[in-house]
Amino acid sequence: MKTNDTVIRFTGIGGQGILFAGKMLAEAALSAGIHPCFAPSYGAEKRGGPSECTVILSHGELPSPCASRSQAAVVMNGASFLREEQRLAGGGIIVVNSSVCGDLKLSRADLSLFPVPASELAEKLKNDRVANVVITGALAELLGAHLGIQLSQEHLVEGLKRTLAGKGDLMAVNTEALTCGQEYARSLASQ
Amino acid sequence: MKTNDTVIRFTGIGGQGILFAGKMLAEAALSAGIHPCFAPSYGAEKRGGPSECTVILSHGELPSPCASRSQAAVVMNGASFLREEQRLAGGGIIVVNSSVCGDLKLSRADLSLFPVPASELAEKLKNDRVANVVITGALAELLGAHLGIQLSQEHLVEGLKRTLAGKGDLMAVNTEALTCGQEYARSLASQ
Amino acid sequence: MKDQVELVSGNRAVASGALDAGCRMYFGYPITPQTEIAEYMSAVLPEMNGVFLQAESELAAINMVYGAAGAGRRVMTTSSSPGISLMMEGLSYLATAELPCVIVNVMRGGPGLGNIAPAQGDYFQAVKGGGHGDYRTPVLAPWSVQEIYDLTRTAFDLADRWRNPVFILFDGLLGTMMEPLRTREPIPERAAPSWATTGIFAHGANDRAPRSIYTLHMPEGALTEVNRRLQAKYREIAREEVRYDEHFTGDAEILVVAYGSVARSALQAVRVARQQGRKVGLFRPVSLWPFPEEALHALSEKVRKILVAEMSSGQMLEDVRLAAAPSCKIDFLGAMGGELIYPGTILSRLQEE
Amino acid sequence: MKDQVELVSGNRAVASGALDAGCRMYFGYPITPQTEIAEYMSAVLPEMNGVFLQAESELAAINMVYGAAGAGRRVMTTSSSPGISLMMEGLSYLATAELPCVIVNVMRGGPGLGNIAPAQGDYFQAVKGGGHGDYRTPVLAPWSVQEIYDLTRTAFDLADRWRNPVFILFDGLLGTMMEPLRTREPIPERAAPSWATTGIFAHGANDRAPRSIYTLHMPEGALTEVNRRLQAKYREIAREEVRYDEHFTGDAEILVVAYGSVARSALQAVRVARQQGRKVGLFRPVSLWPFPEEALHALSEKVRKILVAEMSSGQMLEDVRLAAAPSCKIDFLGAMGGELIYPGTILSRLQEE
Amino acid sequence: MAVLFSRPQSLTDTPFRYCPGCHHGLAHRLVAEALDELNLREKAVGIASVGCSVYTNEFFNCDTQQAAHGRAPAVATAVKRARPECFVFTYQGDGDLASIGMAETIHAAARGENISIIFINNACYGMTGGQMAPTTLPEQKTTTSPLGREAAREGNPVDMMKLLDALEGPAYLSRVVLTSPGKQAAAKKSILRAFRAQMKGLGFSLVEILSACPSNWRMTPVEALHYVDEVMAKYYPPGEVRVAKEVLEG
Amino acid sequence: MAVLFSRPQSLTDTPFRYCPGCHHGLAHRLVAEALDELNLREKAVGIASVGCSVYTNEFFNCDTQQAAHGRAPAVATAVKRARPECFVFTYQGDGDLASIGMAETIHAAARGENISIIFINNACYGMTGGQMAPTTLPEQKTTTSPLGREAAREGNPVDMMKLLDALEGPAYLSRVVLTSPGKQAAAKKSILRAFRAQMKGLGFSLVEILSACPSNWRMTPVEALHYVDEVMAKYYPPGEVRVAKEVLEG
Amino acid sequence: MVEIDTERCKGCGLCVEACPRKILALSTEFNKAGHHPAVLLDPDRCIYCLACARLCPDLAITISKEAETV
Amino acid sequence: MVEIDTERCKGCGLCVEACPRKILALSTEFNKAGHHPAVLLDPDRCIYCLACARLCPDLAITISKEAETV
Ligand SMILES: Cc1ncc(C[n+]2csc(CCOP(=O)(O)OP(=O)(O)O)c2C)c(N)n1
Ligand SMILES: Cc1ncc(C[n+]2csc(CCOP(=O)(O)OP(=O)(O)O)c2C)c(N)n1
Ligand code: SF4
Ligand code: SF4
Ligand code: SF4
Ligand code: SF4
Ligand code: SF4
Ligand code: SF4
Ligand SMILES: [Mg+2]
Ligand SMILES: [Mg+2]
């Protein structure tokens, strides 16, 4: 179903910071004046189970939090690739953490795949827990380039800040991760 | 509302054996082939509060257990006399325990009042707890004479037996009480 | 031969019906006006090698019912309004695990602690589901001591047939009043059903797989599946287990709809009105769920007006409104808080016409 | 100034709404998907000189609500489906004693233990009354984080205005999802009402008569009187507190009726259908009780068909059927056990026409 | 004329609804006297429970709430936390406190809620007509233990003093009887101590009163009085079980 | 090849759903070994409760029922009375057994129901994300006692061993830890004794297992293991608390 | 002065049992509620021990004394 | 023989902690579920004390030995 909303799905397994990534994007959108709706979905296990969330960016109107089709997907763990691929609407983009998922191939021609070695990039930042922020940085960049959602560096940093709320000491490394992801995405574009 | 059922109300206070009396009449009716319906109503207090029950005698069909009008009333305690008087249908009979209620006057001309000194009669039988059976004996007699409900001595004794269930040693005094009540009622009739 | 007529109370009839249906397990907690059931059970079950246990609360009682039903025994609990409210979580569990059992609510005046007089204010709770989630339980509403006995026996059969809890719902007047009861041949308890947790060894060859009674369904789609299966079952019950009773409906122009003891007042009123030449009839739902929608709908197309008489603020009334043809006018005669509905009151309403 | 927009979850919005309404007492027991409310309250209430107490159970929690409300404080409890079932007795007591309080049910998949996915299967329980007796509670059904906040504040006012418990009912999706929230000026807690058991000495001159909060009404006719008063109040609430929301209904030929998160899917479907030139609209009950009968009836006379979309087997459906004009066809789109209703699914149903 | 004995201020004038010889009345009087002596009537909120004492709210001349069956401790917990300046006590039967309300009792005690409980143990369910309670004595016949209570079938009696004494929360626990003026004096002392424990903010206090229910015991009031002393008090020995030292101070 | 250590028969092959380092798995194995050793698997009916162990029914290779939160002892009571020939045990967390299920626990114990309870005390609500339990230690921070548990606000911890020991019903009560092979051997002995108590018809038996919840304690599994020994076991001392002499006989 | 409120009295006999001087008894008369109320047979022998009042569950007994003699 | 089922293993490290010979360690590899499973570094030094298996909450360790040496 076609609407004016942009639906972005984040998937992975527990512990990868999926909810953080989604929430950060939603916060960034909010600071950019876009109405975000962030919907997590949990399994029953406390750890290790599949983890997923959806961020819907809309302009002014209340979107449905139930979105079957997405415009963008972030895949942190290979297991959910196929499913997300199917759930994307034509013209959608799919950003995968290639450090974990390895080489994935699209089976649909109307989508664009962007492999980002987020874990490796994060390890270079000496903090393998920021892979989620790296990939979100890349996503933000791609949202601008492909789906017309402009989130400035400033808004993204603001999103990070609000999501980290209280854990101020983590700002530096996360901002670095963000920039690193953005840059990587830009480099993809220029390739 | 006029029906073919005969509604008999027993009233008094807790401890006077009101429910026993009603149940005994219902059992007697059952053994006589009449469909009885016995409905108690309790207050919240365990003892001493008002006690009341209704026995409905019908022929074949299911009567309503909610009867606003009665054909006969047994009043063991003066407090409920007025109320019962009002609830009686025209032509109804009201049997009062005159030992406790003293001298009561009817305010309606379409009813018949039968004072029975049940407690005194019971005391003569050396058991003041059988006043309820005395008055039920009298009632049974009057039901036959005035309302066409025939309950033979045999059925009444059977009713007693079933109601006493298990407490066999009490049969003798209660049968005596029953007869005493019946006789008293007959003596009233012949007056 | 148990073919004798005895004068017993509705409460006793519940107990006798259960025992004669082979029920040998009873869990309950005292509450007026139905404690007599527990008291009777406590006296007779030990003699019959059965189990009577006074639970620490209604909450414990309903969960004991869960355990015993899961272990494949015929089991019953009984209570009255506030006590039944405490069973709502357990009931939802029983329905989900599809455990056959019988729950009796001898209704008293509510809401809150209310009083101990007869009432019909728990219709919604029993019929629409006072517990959480989409579950249903057949609800049987007897109107005489005899029918209490008969429907209690039926309830156990329904429970087994559909693997579902079954409610019996009547007011305290029916519970405490005595009428002649003719009991039928008692049957022994049925064997444990094939799904019951009886211990693997109970199965002759000791080779069966472990069985589990549970209500958590986490895998994606699993609970939806359970709900679909339950709803399919409920639709089948709704088709097959409708029970009702009609009196003088053939040419009736006004129809009284009432259940339980109120239907007795209604019948009496209808009889008198008929004597007065009025074309009135009585429709009595015996199963409140499934509600006899079709039968009532058919009648509602023929009558001019329906009078719903109910000892509540108008609960069954909603089901009547849902069932009745739009053309049919619906009037209501209610009573609350232990007030009774007398034949005379119904009659006056019939005479207003 | 609290005029800032924050991204918060529906659960957090409940907590903020309550705090901003001056509620300083919270009793609850953990249960997914709404434990976040309790966790947040446990962190902030002690700082505000308020009371957070994790009750030993939902049963204890609802009775603590009774105590605190009776003592004249603004008080709230929150839970999810099975936990709410355990509150049914207490709820009936609260309604009878006419104690203002707010109860939030963040519904999950049922029946039984079910799962923790979003659902709307507790409509009957909240709207028809899962507890015993003839009582009613206003039920508010927000559809966004903002509205959760707003209606939580409203709920406290309604509770006080009508001296009645008020339910807030929404599914776990709304509870856990985050949206921008604009809070309003918080108000301090209102003073103890004139009926509250605050101790006689709390009354300046120390001369007032003792007050009592109770629900037992034994004297003849007393409980009937209480019920009459309650019913009169409920009729007034039904007149004055109807809330609903309409979208594109002006010329609609097909009307979707949905509440809570499903209404969001419906609105999206309706928007798209409108783009396709279809004359469809959305009617969203915001108060589930009192149900916006009249408004819906009026609309139902103009539309050709109503499509009820609901994450249950069809509970609100009954209220729609009761409200709608007989001429109006009613279709149903359900989902159970945590299944969601997507805009696309509603759209296809709208396109079937 | 000097009045030597009369009705305490903290009782209303309403005649009790209890059966002849029921000890609920005696317990009411002692509680009311304690409220009078400690000047608590005006700050008291009494929580009635469901049982014969459900009408307690008609009898105590202070603010009251009537709790659902078994939930008085939860209600009292909330009232006390809502109005810490109030004096909050519950009045509960043994069915209420020890059967259906066991969880609420134990948890209020464990939390050390600053409330006082008057616990009427009459070894049966009075109001509903004499069914077995958790406190029913071994071999005691009741309407739901018609063969006499037997551990193997109905389980062992629950001694609430022992149970509560296993928790840290209680500041004061005592069991008393009301069968003679002397024993009533001891009982009164216990009630005063329990109330003082709350006034001093020491936490949970409870006084268990072994109490006659002549109606359901099927005894005359005088027989029932002796039964309390001769049978019940043997099984449930009276005495103070827990006295936080601060209770006695000052 | 001789197998020195392998999966007991009474466990299914299903991998546990617990977090890394969670002691639920250890407890499951010991219970299953006890079932194996006493040849109880085929007559066993296990009652799962609501908590992280709600899936117990998938793990034990015997008949099982899943009870509502807190009600396992009531369910077990009925199963045992319905099928006295079965061996009936419950497996419950501390939120389940000691908070919402307190009444059912105490009453089953007081009645001396002939059932066995495995009680997993991890000082928090594991499944719902680490809220305070009645067993949460003083000063312990949880998501609903964010300032650390304080008696005046959240109340005192409940020691179930002490509480149950105040009742006559229990035949066997013991508290154990699983933090080393030696302590596991002692734990196994306790479980075997508890089970034998039921087999001999002696009544209620319960083994409390102090158990690590690394996820909610926000510790590594190894830290959590040490915390059990060094902090929890100090507050809740392991050991047998009640051993009816018939348990040891024969 | 030992005053017995005969309408409040339920005839339980606890006062009779409690009186050390055995100067109380139950009347053979009925009160309105149907109980046999307690009566003081011999006021002069009363020692004002208050036992009767303390044992009365229905607070039917009030005791007072001439001020000078207290 | 100490066999570790690396797919069952959740990398909790309790076996590593328990081993008196310190011959167990967590792998740097991931298993399918994303855990670093335990590995036996030096099987020859194993004394078959079973501590590792007993401390494994996930029953990921099976231990057996040549029959003759038992
Ligand atoms: C939920 C619920 N269950 C049962 C009852 C019925 N009930 C009323 S009083 C009572 C027992 C009271 O016994 P106890 O607490 O010992 O007080 P007593 O009457 O002996 O003083 C019961 C079971 C009720 N009102 N509510
Ligand atoms: C009536 C009800 N209330 C609350 C819940 C939510 N709930 C599920 S598990 C749980 C706590 C479990 O804690 P515990 O018993 O200690 O087990 P653990 O997870 O720690 O092993 C709660 C409160 C529920 N399922 N049902
Ligand atoms: S039933 Fe027992 S406890 Fe209740 S009032 Fe009568 S004597 Fe007292
Ligand atoms: S949350 Fe705690 S108790 Fe639950 S599985 Fe994880 S570690 Fe174990
Ligand atoms: S005061 Fe003492 S002596 Fe006088 S009547 Fe009373 S009990 Fe007897
Ligand atoms: S103790 Fe009181 S109620 Fe009992 S007989 Fe004496 S005066 Fe009457
Ligand atoms: S058996 Fe003992 S020595 Fe061998 S690996 Fe395991 S813990 Fe180490
Ligand atoms: S104890 Fe078991 S799960 Fe933990 S690391 Fe060792 S093998 Fe893996
Ligand atoms: Mg009692
Ligand atoms: Mg736990």
Side-chain angles (χ1 to χ4, degrees), chain G residues 27-60:
Chain G
S27 163
T28 51
E29 309 277 281
F30 286 93
N31 66 7
K32 289 208 191 90
H35 302 298
H36 296 285
V39 283
L40 185 58
L41 302 177
D42 190 352
D44 294 344
R45 294 189 52 227
C46 174
I47 55 170
Y48 293 91
C49 70
L50 310 189
C52 54
R54 289 200 206 282
L55 262 296
C56 175
D58 286 281
L59 288 105

Side-chain angles (χ1 to χ4, degrees), chain H residues 10-32:
Chain H
K10 290 179 183 154
C12 70
L14 293 189
C15 56
V16 177
E17 175 80 3
C19 177
R21 309 309 295 264
K22 297 289 160 219
I23 55 178
L24 288 161
L26 294 185
S27 163
T28 52
E29 310 276 281
F30 286 93
N31 66 7
K32 289 208 193 91

